[in-house]
Amino acid sequence: MSRYVLRRLLLTLPVFFGVSVLVFLILHLSPGDPALMIAGADAPPETIRAVREELGLDRPVYEQYASYVGRVLHGDLGRSVRSKEPVSQLVAATFPKTATLAVAALVIAVLVALPTGIIAAVRRNSWIDNGTRLAAFLGVSMPVFAVGLLLMWVLSYKLRLLPLSGYGGPVWTIKGFKAVILPAVTSASFSIAVLARLTRSSMLDVIGQDFIRTARAKGLAERVVVYKHALRNALLPVITVLGVQFGGLMGGAVVTETIFAWPGMGRLALNAILSRDFPVVQGVVLLVAVMFVGVNLLVDLVYGFVDPRIQYD
Amino acid sequence: MNASVKPQQADQAATPVLKERSHAQAVLHRLLRNKAAVAGGVVVILLVLVALLAPHLAPADPLLQDVPGRFKPPSAAHWLGTDELGRDILSRIIVGSRISLLSSIIAVSISLTVGVVVGLVAGFYAKLDNFLMRLIDIMMAFPGILLAIAIVSALGPGQFNVMIAVGIQVVPTYARITRSQVLSLRSLDYILAARSQGAGDTRIIFKHILPNCLATIIVYTTLNLASAILSASTLSFLGLGAPPPSPEWGGMVSTARQFFLNYPNVAVWPTLAIFVTVLAFNFLGDGLRDALDPRLKDV
């Protein structure tokens, strides 16, 4: 087991290295002089020179990369070239809001998708099954922004049940809870469709296996067969995909946050892209990617413990 | 009575029933029996025709402004109404279909070319496999649309950069699928036979392995076109794609969002266009997958 954990950890190192190189290159792949882009085309030469020195652009690329990694490892993500605030502070202020949204969306997705997928598989080819499959198709085909705008128009504008947009404070307050519902459901829509389809197909796969036939032949109640024997095994692939979905929710939050004026990392990154504020873009992209790799590592390790069939060598 | 039929006659009587269909015929037969896939295919063909004939089909100039006539609801003059500058929404959607379809085709072509080559090489040459797959892992470390966003931020906003970004985002899908196909084919007897006859690596890869991966690649291309349209329209919605007044569907929704609560009509039509297009590609891709491999029907 420890060999499996060690091997999985070692495999993550080149990924972290690659991610850092790619994020570092965001600035250097841009066509034209980054210092000129940041300072503005009509900036005086001394300003451009100052920006170039501030970002270390006057040094060789490998030196810049080494100093970038060194700074990042010390928690220094650089400074916003627009607001001059440290990127780590900007990210720290917005991260909890994006994480709240992602966790809420994941909870909604699991609560809706798992029961739906299970029922669809157990009652295969019934109207529930056909309805679930159709809804899942519609869910993966609908742009997230369309779901958000539709929910906003119906629930906030027409029925006035929920606030139109904005952050309402911590989720445990009534205002905060109400404010998070629409953005979270919007973010969850795609994950619900993916997870429901996966749960259904995974359940169908397990239900067709011999050990389920044996369980039924022993005379166990159908409820026990489905929820004790089948579900436990069917959930294994679902756990893996949950990690991917959580990453997708963190990385894709930019759309939901833009629609609902949610002050998270996604909006921070988008505004930074539009104003060519590279250090902020790099900070957000790096943090989300590293978190995503970390979550997937954790999921794999948990998977290794939960499923003894995983090869440890 | 039946017992008196001679074996030879019985064989002859059974021949028409047992007549074997070719693989292609069987796939087509299964595809045509899938109503959703047929509907998806019809919509895709119609969309391609609309895109090709767009200048002739559009009832008005998609860029022609008529500010006094803005936010008009659907009428005989403007079937889908007018937008915030009085432009005909139907004409903009028709002409915009060119941008949306072409962008996704170019994006998928980029990912298809790069991804399939990487997958073929990784699957065939065990020595390169680990290295190439680690590169793919790095690309997959950026969840959802984040990789595309990072690329657009480096290259700068614009429709062409969106195509490149979406194209690169989809590369890992092709690479992994092609690689897994190659791995399953590499050790089969017919490859060994080709090698024993003196066939070189290039010939084996392109003549014997690639054609056997094509079915899977076609299925994923159809499904990837759907996700490329979604990603490209999302990037445009965020203001990173074609700048106004270009009638790109995602960009149209982005502009319409400002007036959305009072004039939902302006945002609804381009959204529907994206939705129907993506749904059609998804239905077709899913049907193709079931038709090519019926065992995957419930996956």
Side-chain angles (χ1 to χ4, degrees), chain B residues 7 12 40 54 56 60 63 65 108 118 144 171 218-219 229 254 259 282 285 287:
Chain B
Q12 280 171 354
H56 306 288
L63 301 180
Q65 300 183 8
V108 171
V118 170
V171 164
I218 290 169
V219 169
I229 293 170
S254 178
F259 324 98
N282 272 335

Side-chain angles (χ1 to χ4, degrees), chain A residues 18 26 30 124 137 140-141 145-146 149 153 157 197 200-201 247 254-255 258 273 276 278 281 285 289 292-293, chain B residues 134 138 140-143 146 149 153-154 156 230 234 237-238 257 260-262 271 274-275 278-279 282 286 298:
Chain A
I26 288 180
S30 343
R124 195 178 173 186
F137 252 113
V140 292
S141 304
F145 58 80
L149 292 177
W153 194 73
Y157 185 67
R197 273 171 88 163
R200 176 182 174 274
S201 66
V254 54
V255 181
T258 304
I273 292 172
R276 314 298 278 161
F278 290 106
V281 181
V285 173
F292 182 53
V293 175
Chain B
R134 291 294 81 76
I138 293 166
M140 292 184 79
F142 298 87
L146 194 70
I149 287 177
S153 75
L230 267 187
T234 302
F237 175 80
L238 294 173
R257 190 167 69 93
F260 171 67
L261 293 176
N262 294 319
T271 305
I274 299 167
F275 176 56
V278 175
L279 192 64
N282 272 335
D286 208 60
D298 286 313

Side-chain angles (χ1 to χ4, degrees), chain B residues 15-205:
Chain B
T15 308
V17 184
L18 292 174
K19 189 182 169 191
E20 270 196 24
R21 287 200 196 102
S22 73
H23 180 64
Q25 277 177 322
V27 168
L28 189 66
H29 181 75
R30 282 197 292 266
L31 184 67
L32 291 177
R33 272 176 48 192
N34 184 335
K35 285 177 198 153
V38 172
V42 170
V43 172
V44 168
I45 293 170
L46 284 176
L47 276 165
V48 172
L49 286 176
V50 166
L52 286 174
L53 302 171
H56 306 288
L57 291 176
D61 179 350
L63 301 180
L64 185 71
Q65 300 183 8
D66 172 25
V67 178
R70 66 193 179 140
F71 295 127
K72 284 275 188 297
S75 64
H78 301 284
W79 288 8
L80 303 182
T82 59
D83 69 2
E84 74 284 354
L85 293 172
R87 295 170 297 197
D88 183 52
I89 295 176
L90 177 63
S91 304
R92 288 179 68 72
I93 287 178
I94 290 176
V95 175
S97 67
R98 286 189 152 190
I99 307 174
S100 293
L101 282 185
L102 198 66
S103 307
S104 55
I105 289 170
I106 293 175
V108 171
S109 306
I110 295 170
S111 51
L112 179 77
T113 317
V114 179
V116 168
V117 170
V118 170
L120 283 172
V121 172
F124 197 77
Y125 298 105
K127 280 183 184 167
L128 289 172
D129 187 25
N130 213 352
F131 172 72
L132 288 174
M133 283 303 110
R134 291 294 81 76
L135 284 186
I136 295 296
D137 280 353
I138 293 166
M139 291 175 78
M140 292 184 79
F142 298 87
I145 204 164
L146 194 70
L147 182 62
I149 287 177
I151 296 167
V152 174
S153 75
L155 302 177
Q159 194 62 24
F160 185 69
N161 293 342
V162 163
M163 291 179 214
I164 296 175
V166 174
I168 295 175
Q169 189 197 344
V170 191
V171 164
T173 320
Y174 277 113
R176 287 170 75 113
I177 285 158
T178 313
R179 173 180 172 270
S180 70
Q181 289 275 304
V182 178
L183 286 178
S184 66
L185 293 170
R186 196 175 61 175
S187 50
L188 293 185
D189 286 346
Y190 81 98
I191 299 293
L192 201 65
R195 193 174 284 291
S196 66
Q197 284 183 330
D201 286 354
T202 319
R203 186 176 169 83
I204 289 178
I205 290 175

Side-chain angles (χ1 to χ4, degrees), chain A residues 13-232:
Chain A
L13 289 179
V15 175
F16 278 135
F17 169 71
V19 166
S20 70
V21 172
L22 276 184
V23 171
F24 169 74
L25 284 178
I26 288 180
L27 181 63
H28 294 269
L29 283 176
S30 343
D33 182 358
L36 193 69
M37 266 189 295
I38 290 164
D42 45 0
E46 53 270 27
T47 312
I48 297 170
R49 205 176 310 123
V51 170
R52 193 169 289 139
E53 271 172 32
E54 188 191 329
L55 295 174
L57 294 167
D58 48 352
R59 287 180 288 155
V61 175
Y62 62 88
E63 249 184 52
Q64 289 181 45
Y65 172 73
S67 99
Y68 173 73
V69 172
R71 279 188 286 117
V72 167
L73 287 176
H74 285 93
D76 176 9
L77 296 171
R79 275 176 186 277
S80 157
V81 290
R82 300 283 167 233
S83 70
K84 304 293 175 202
E85 282 177 78
V87 174
S88 49
Q89 268 182 29
L90 291 171
V91 169
T94 49
F95 174 79
K97 280 145 194 161
T98 300
T100 306
L101 198 55
V103 171
L106 198 69
V107 169
I108 292 171
V110 168
L111 289 180
V112 176
L114 258 55
T116 319
I118 294 166
I119 295 169
V122 173
R123 303 199 178 163
R124 195 178 173 186
N125 292 329
S126 66
W127 66 268
I128 298 180
D129 184 24
N130 292 334
T132 305
R133 275 194 292 171
L134 183 67
F137 252 113
L138 300 182
V140 292
S141 304
M142 187 96 142
V144 172
F145 58 80
V147 179
L149 292 177
L150 185 70
L151 288 174
M152 187 193 254
W153 194 73
V154 176
L155 295 174
S156 303
Y157 185 67
K158 284 286 162 188
L159 301 176
R160 313 229 169 234
L161 291 175
L162 295 164
L164 263 176
S165 63
Y167 178 68
V171 277
W172 50 89
T173 61
I174 294 178
K175 203 176 161 214
F177 183 73
K178 275 182 147 183
V180 83
I181 294 175
L182 279 190
V185 173
T186 304
S187 283
S189 61
F190 189 82
S191 301
I192 291 174
V194 173
L195 287 175
R197 273 171 88 163
L198 180 72
T199 309
R200 176 182 174 274
S201 66
S202 179
M203 274 297 276
L204 282 177
D205 188 38
V206 172
I207 285 174
Q209 287 182 20
D210 287 345
F211 74 93
I212 295 295
R213 198 179 310 138
T214 310
R216 284 195 177 125
K218 283 197 300 188
L220 290 179
E222 188 62 19
R223 177 176 291 270
V224 178
V225 173
V226 170
Y227 293 101
K228 198 168 169 198
H229 293 242
L231 186 60
R232 279 190 184 180

